[in-house]
Amino acid sequence: MFADADLITQDGTTLVSRLWRPQGEGPWPTLLMRQPYGRAIASTVTLPHPQWWCRHGFLVVVQDVRGQGDSQGSFAGFSQEANDTADTLNWLRGLPEVNGRIGLYGFSYQGLTQLLAPEECPPPDCIAPAMCGLDERNHWSCEGEAHWWHLGLGWGLQLAALQARRRGEQSSWEEIRRSLEDGSYLRDGLRLLEEHDPHGMAVRWLHQSAHDASAWIRHSVPERWLQTPMLLLGGWWDPHLRGLLDLAERSYAVGGQPALHIGPATHLQWWPQSSNLLLNFFQQHLQNHPSTQTSDEIAITGVHLWNQTNACWERTHTTNPAHQPTEASPGWSLSSAGLACLDPSEGALINDGSNGSGQVVIVHDPWRPVPAVGGHLSPTAGPVDRASVDQRSDVALFTGAPVSQRLQLSGRPMLQLVGFADQPGFDLSVALSRLPAGSEAVQQLSTGVLRTIGESALNPRPLTLELQALHATLNPGDRLRLSIAGAAWPAIAVNPGDPNVPCGAPNADCRVISIALHLESAQLQMLPLLLPQTGGTPAD
């Protein structure tokens, strides 16, 4: 059973929520989700329907955020949410159906609405933000100083279509929808955003320089909220994983003890046990149930990581992970006599302590840019066999010798090398993969990108590229491979090699770019998964 209810905020705006009530007499502990996609959906793309929660004794409240669904006001994105979160919590605490115990849940946008509140606002009893972060540049729209292309356009157009429907503009909605169905959004998406949602977050992000961190908003969380019982859910193939790790680090830094689970998940496809994990968490903190831990999949304390190669959960760091040593591992060096793009056995990834050697030139042809496959940013996010991509002559391969004993890879891979190009701009797209013993497969584990624009691209200079975090095991006979290319289309827009031409879909102004990599000082290292916080809290 459900019913809609209105809340009038302090500035006179009406926000509409849908309430699903359990059977029997209340009041009940309450789960709150605040989202921009329509309260009827209730994030059922990844989370159980509210009726499932009701059967377990929870009142569920899903709210249309300001300017979305049936709520009044203008939608201004993340910046509007702090005060509305406070007003909503105050309203809930006064409802006769609510017993005073409140938990917040949801992922992505609905994850961030759990975290934004005025400093003086009392926190809820517990929160479960999944797949989100605080930094609009590094956690929501960019990586390696390059904008997310496929993801940024796709999400922005979804929000633009919702606004068009709200205004009753059916033709605009249909134009946006067709572009997503036929793939033309990759070429026309920015124009559509500028036309149909010119003041939206997505178009603002795409127009901001990905190189200037000072121009971007970094949101803050009240310290008391970071100390609140918190369950953080992430995925190895989710684009917001860095933001989730940052949240864990911030919570540990102020004395919080968040539970962190990173599983075999993309942004929209989670692992089956995640629902029971959330239920266990809310039952413990809102219904005083003892923990029903029966396996690592549903344990709600500590850090739990899905091993990408062994396909099992592993628990790690029973104490504060941010207090673990932060020194990088000895790492691997790179070597090639120049044929790493043509001979898959010529480029070497070496971990015997010796220095790298040689150089390799990668030729990026914008007519046939190297595609992004699998990983956390591509349209086909998730685990993938990238053998066919590695066979291309515009991908440099560095492969290690078979390992003689079990090798654990856990943390954030970081590649350092010297590079330059013959044009004032180039990209590096990097993948780290496992080559299983006795197989021709290339199991991609992690990817990352780095963009250089301007005259600095013409001169040799040190480059540092951080890949997506991973947790995997190499078994005896397995090999590790590093693949380097000059594009990751359409996850990342094509770099035209000309600072006067915007990055975007391949076009006639894009140049062929020769990228030279000097390998004498090249190093691949593994940084810890969680790092200590060294600065203050971010500013709004």
Side-chain angles (χ1 to χ4, degrees):
M1 183 178 71
F2 68 83
D4 290 338
D6 294 346
L7 151 69
I8 300 178
T9 64
Q10 294 185 57
D11 66 359
T13 301
T14 299
L15 304 183
V16 181
S17 300
R18 180 156 294 178
L19 282 65
W20 284 265
R21 295 176 174 86
Q23 293 184 348
E25 296 295 325
W28 302 279
T30 299
L31 299 179
L32 169 66
M33 177 192 298
R34 303 183 58 249
Q35 67 161 26
Y37 308 112
R39 60 194 182 281
I41 296 174
S43 284
T44 49
V45 66
T46 60
L47 295 166
H49 190 275
Q51 290 180 351
W52 184 81
W53 296 103
C54 289
R55 289 197 295 271
H56 290 282
F58 295 98
L59 173 72
V60 180
V61 179
V62 180
Q63 183 185 84
D64 291 337
V65 300
R66 178 182 296 252
Q68 294 284 24
D70 292 324
S71 290
Q72 294 179 349
S74 298
F75 180 64
F78 298 152
S79 62
Q80 71 184 30
E81 300 303 348
N83 289 332
D84 287 351
T85 294
D87 286 349
T88 302
L89 288 174
N90 288 336
W91 171 68
L92 281 180
R93 289 176 175 127
L95 292 181
E97 301 98 321
V98 179
N99 70 1
R101 307 188 75 173
I102 299 172
L104 308 186
Y105 80 117
F107 82 114
S108 197
Y109 194 104
Q110 301 85 264
L112 191 57
T113 57
Q114 299 176 51
L115 299 162
L116 303 183
E119 191 67 36
E120 68 277 5
C121 180
D125 295 273
C126 57
I127 57 178
M131 298 182 177
C132 63
L134 299 173
D135 189 319
E136 292 191 5
R137 182 182 78 143
N138 294 328
H139 303 156
W140 287 95
S141 61
C142 301
E143 181 171 326
E145 300 190 352
H147 291 94
W148 299 349
W149 193 247
H150 146 72
L151 287 173
L153 290 174
W155 183 59
L157 289 170
Q158 179 184 4
L159 293 174
L162 290 170
Q163 288 293 305
R165 185 175 64 182
R166 184 179 169 91
R167 296 190 299 265
E169 298 174 358
Q170 183 175 348
S171 61
S172 298
W173 187 95
E174 291 178 348
E175 182 182 16
I176 293 169
R177 179 64 191 181
R178 279 196 301 270
S179 77
L180 294 167
E181 289 177 342
D182 63 23
S184 62
Y185 75 100
L186 295 172
R187 184 169 298 278
D188 301 330
L190 186 55
R191 175 188 62 79
L192 292 172
L193 284 174
E194 292 168 342
E195 178 180 349
H196 298 297
D197 195 15
H199 305 296
M201 272 195 309
V203 72
R204 171 171 59 84
W205 289 346
L206 287 164
H207 281 311
Q208 284 183 231
S209 169
H211 300 270
D212 183 8
S214 65
W216 290 78
I217 297 173
R218 293 188 302 149
H219 298 277
S220 61
V221 184
E223 186 171 301
R224 286 187 298 167
W225 291 54
L226 290 171
Q227 297 166 343
T228 298
M230 184 188 306
L231 173 60
L232 298 172
L233 299 184
W236 295 121
W237 308 292
D238 175 61
H240 306 286
L241 180 56
R242 293 185 186 189
L244 196 80
L245 296 175
D246 176 75
L247 282 173
E249 292 163 356
R250 292 185 183 281
S251 178
Y252 281 118
V254 297
Q257 289 295 319
L260 175 64
H261 291 245
I262 307 176
T266 67
H267 196 57
L268 298 181
Q269 293 182 324
W270 294 13
W271 62 99
Q273 297 85 359
S274 59
S275 297
N276 284 324
L277 173 62
L278 284 161
L279 177 62
N280 193 0
F281 175 74
F282 287 126
Q283 285 180 329
Q284 179 177 339
H285 293 288
L286 300 180
Q287 296 177 330
N288 296 330
H289 286 206
S291 175
T292 56
Q293 175 177 337
T294 58
S295 68
D296 278 341
E297 290 104 283
I298 60 172
I300 55 172
T301 58
V303 177
H304 302 260
L305 309 177
W306 174 264
N307 190 305
Q308 295 166 256
T309 53
N310 290 349
C312 64
W313 285 96
E314 296 174 354
R315 184 168 182 171
T316 182
H317 300 321
T318 56
T319 60
N320 186 338
H323 291 165
Q324 300 298 314
T326 59
E327 294 82 6
S329 64
W332 297 261
S333 57
L334 280 62
S335 176
S336 173
L339 294 180
C341 291
L342 296 171
D343 182 349
S345 63
E346 195 267 350
L349 194 61
I350 306 165
N351 66 344
D352 61 5
S354 61
N355 294 328
S357 62
Q359 66 177 30
V360 64
V361 176
I362 300 169
V363 179
H364 159 67
D365 181 356
W367 183 259
R368 52 186 300 270
V370 174
V373 295
H376 63 293
L377 296 179
S378 84
T380 56
V384 70
D385 183 345
R386 60 171 290 122
S388 62
V389 177
D390 278 0
Q391 291 172 3
R392 293 174 55 121
S393 62
D394 50 0
V395 180
L397 304 181
F398 303 89
T399 306
V403 299
S404 59
Q405 58 187 3
R406 182 178 180 273
L407 177 62
Q408 183 72 58
L409 303 173
S410 186
R412 309 185 192 204
M414 185 181 69
L415 175 65
Q416 295 176 306
L417 75 172
V418 172
F420 66 101
D422 63 346
Q423 304 295 334
F426 67 92
D427 287 354
L428 292 181
S429 169
V430 176
L432 192 62
S433 305
R434 170 204 180 207
L435 278 59
S439 170
E440 298 298 318
V442 181
Q443 180 185 4
Q444 183 173 276
L445 302 174
S446 174
T447 58
V449 297
L450 180 66
R451 170 158 291 165
T452 299
I453 293 179
E455 296 299 314
S456 63
L458 299 170
N459 300 306
R461 67 187 188 97
L463 303 170
T464 300
L465 185 153
E466 183 178 314
L467 287 76
Q468 179 88 333
L470 60 81
H471 184 72
T473 300
L474 297 187
N475 296 310
D478 292 350
R479 292 176 292 162
L480 189 65
R481 171 178 286 178
L482 188 75
S483 308
I484 306 178
W489 173 255
I492 300 296
V494 171
N495 190 327
D498 181 348
N500 298 312
V501 176
C503 298
N507 62 72
D509 293 324
C510 292
R511 302 173 179 178
V512 173
I513 305 171
S514 294
I515 307 165
L517 303 178
H518 290 195
L519 306 176
E520 291 82 3
S521 60
Q523 280 283 310
L524 173 67
Q525 298 177 321
M526 193 69 63
L527 300 181
L529 185 68
L530 296 175
L531 302 172
Q533 287 287 315
T534 57
T537 57
D540 287 316

